[in-house]
Amino acid sequence: MASGKLLRQLINTGIRGNTAGFRAASEAVIREERQKKHHLLANDLERLLYGDYAAPGANARKLATLTELPANKDNGLALLEERPVIREEKDIILSDAAQSALNELIMEHNRADVLRSYGLQPAQKILFCGPPGCGKTLAAEVIAHSLSLPLVLVRLDSVISSFLGETASNLRKVFDFIAQQPVVVLFDEFDALTKDRGDSADHGELKRSVNAVLQMLDSYRGESILIATTNYETLLDHAVWRRFDEIVRFEMPNLEQIKQLLALKLSGIRRNFEVEEHDIASLFEDLSHADIERVLRRAVKEMVLSGREFLEKAHLKDALAREYWHK
């Protein structure tokens, strides 16, 4: 729980309608809770204060201010959306291969000057593929945090158009923007833009967008890091693969990674079990990282709302039962 001094400051600024003071006090509370390793609580407080996708909070890396984001000329919708950069390397659990690839990518960009002195370039076009909920989007945020770069998401709902040539025009705006200032740009669900051109089910405009993406990837010379993700790698056009400098495969967590994830997400939560216990970790087998985090959040909420002081195995089992019921 936050200190009495912070709580008094929080209430006092709130009553007086001092928005700036209230925000500063709230950020101090979040910072204190995170220092105590109450990460679930700190994350929830950040979402309450800023919203899911608002400006980065107290724990976010301070980043350069972006210029005006490009927009679709027909409806005025932004083609890119800036995302908060809060989570860092300690907040992600991956397979050894994926973690090694992530570390190598970060090192390449931190030591880009050394590579360039040998006529080499750090990897800039990366493809993340694997099952949903296994850390692909989180890894992009971690890279942005580690390199102190803004994270921007390509909004496919604005980019893709049924009008002739409009998708390519929107893509050109995106590539022009990221060429002008360094960012980590995330092409989430990349298969929506680059489906196999042999698929007769797709209309002509989407097939033309594949050609446009290939050409723009080939000609890109900016300093931004382009990260594309897909849950359905078999849908990608065959010509897409060789446009990437690196391909990183994400996997469902194994038993050891599940234990690490439980230890990370339940840090600061009082509980009547040890996360290293095999029968605890085995409850979460066949679940993705995102599934596990959602189950834990549900279990902790149940503990809090029922007035219990400790998280019990029963809370986990009840939360898991709801998860499998939804599936």
Side-chain angles (χ1 to χ4, degrees), residues 246-282:
E246 296 289 346
I247 296 169
V248 182
R249 298 187 182 278
F250 289 71
E251 302 170 355
M252 298 285 279
N254 59 28
L255 206 58
E256 184 57 38
Q257 290 157 21
I258 290 173
K259 291 178 182 179
Q260 294 174 32
L261 195 60
L262 293 177
L264 175 66
K265 299 301 178 182
L266 293 179
S267 174
I269 302 295
R270 302 177 74 183
R271 53 189 185 272
N272 274 332
F273 57 84
E274 296 298 329
V275 295
E276 294 80 10
E277 295 176 28
H278 178 82
D279 64 325
I280 293 295
S282 61

Side-chain angles (χ1 to χ4, degrees), residues 292-316:
I292 293 171
E293 184 169 355
R294 183 170 55 251
V295 168
L296 294 179
R297 188 177 302 280
R298 186 180 295 139
V300 171
K301 284 181 179 179
E302 183 181 342
M303 176 197 75
V304 171
L305 294 175
S306 63
R308 302 296 294 272
E309 187 177 354
F310 292 90
L311 188 66
E312 308 282 352
K313 291 182 184 180
H315 293 129
L316 298 180

Side-chain angles (χ1 to χ4, degrees), residues 23 26-27 30-31 33-35 38-63 82-92 137-152 184 264-265 293 297:
R23 181 175 291 262
S26 300
E27 290 174 346
I30 293 168
R31 193 159 49 243
E33 294 303 321
R34 202 172 288 284
Q35 287 170 352
H38 298 166
H39 297 299
L40 284 171
L41 175 58
N43 290 341
D44 276 343
L45 292 175
E46 280 178 338
R47 273 187 284 271
L48 286 171
L49 184 60
Y50 299 107
D52 284 341
Y53 303 115
N59 194 45
R61 186 70 63 92
K62 300 303 180 185
L63 305 168
E82 186 173 6
R83 290 290 180 91
V85 178
I86 298 172
R87 292 172 291 184
E88 48 192 298
E89 286 184 81
K90 66 179 179 60
D91 296 317
I92 191 169
T137 303
L138 174 56
E141 182 181 339
V142 168
I143 291 170
H145 186 282
S146 298
L147 299 177
S148 296
L149 291 172
L151 174 65
V152 294
V184 173
L264 175 66
K265 299 301 178 182
E293 184 169 355
R297 188 177 302 280

Side-chain angles (χ1 to χ4, degrees), residues 189-240:
E189 300 181 8
F190 193 59
D191 44 274
L193 278 173
T194 55
K195 280 188 179 179
D196 189 343
R197 284 167 291 185
D199 186 349
S200 59
D202 288 325
H203 60 75
E205 179 64 6
L206 280 178
K207 292 181 179 180
R208 282 186 287 271
S209 77
V210 177
N211 294 329
V213 171
L214 295 178
Q215 292 171 2
M216 292 176 200
L217 285 174
D218 282 339
S219 62
Y220 177 72
R221 296 294 182 271
E223 294 186 9
S224 292
I225 301 174
L226 283 66
I227 298 178
T229 74
T230 180
N231 303 330
Y232 306 102
E233 55 191 89
T234 57
L235 296 181
L236 294 178
D237 191 274
H238 295 300
V240 169

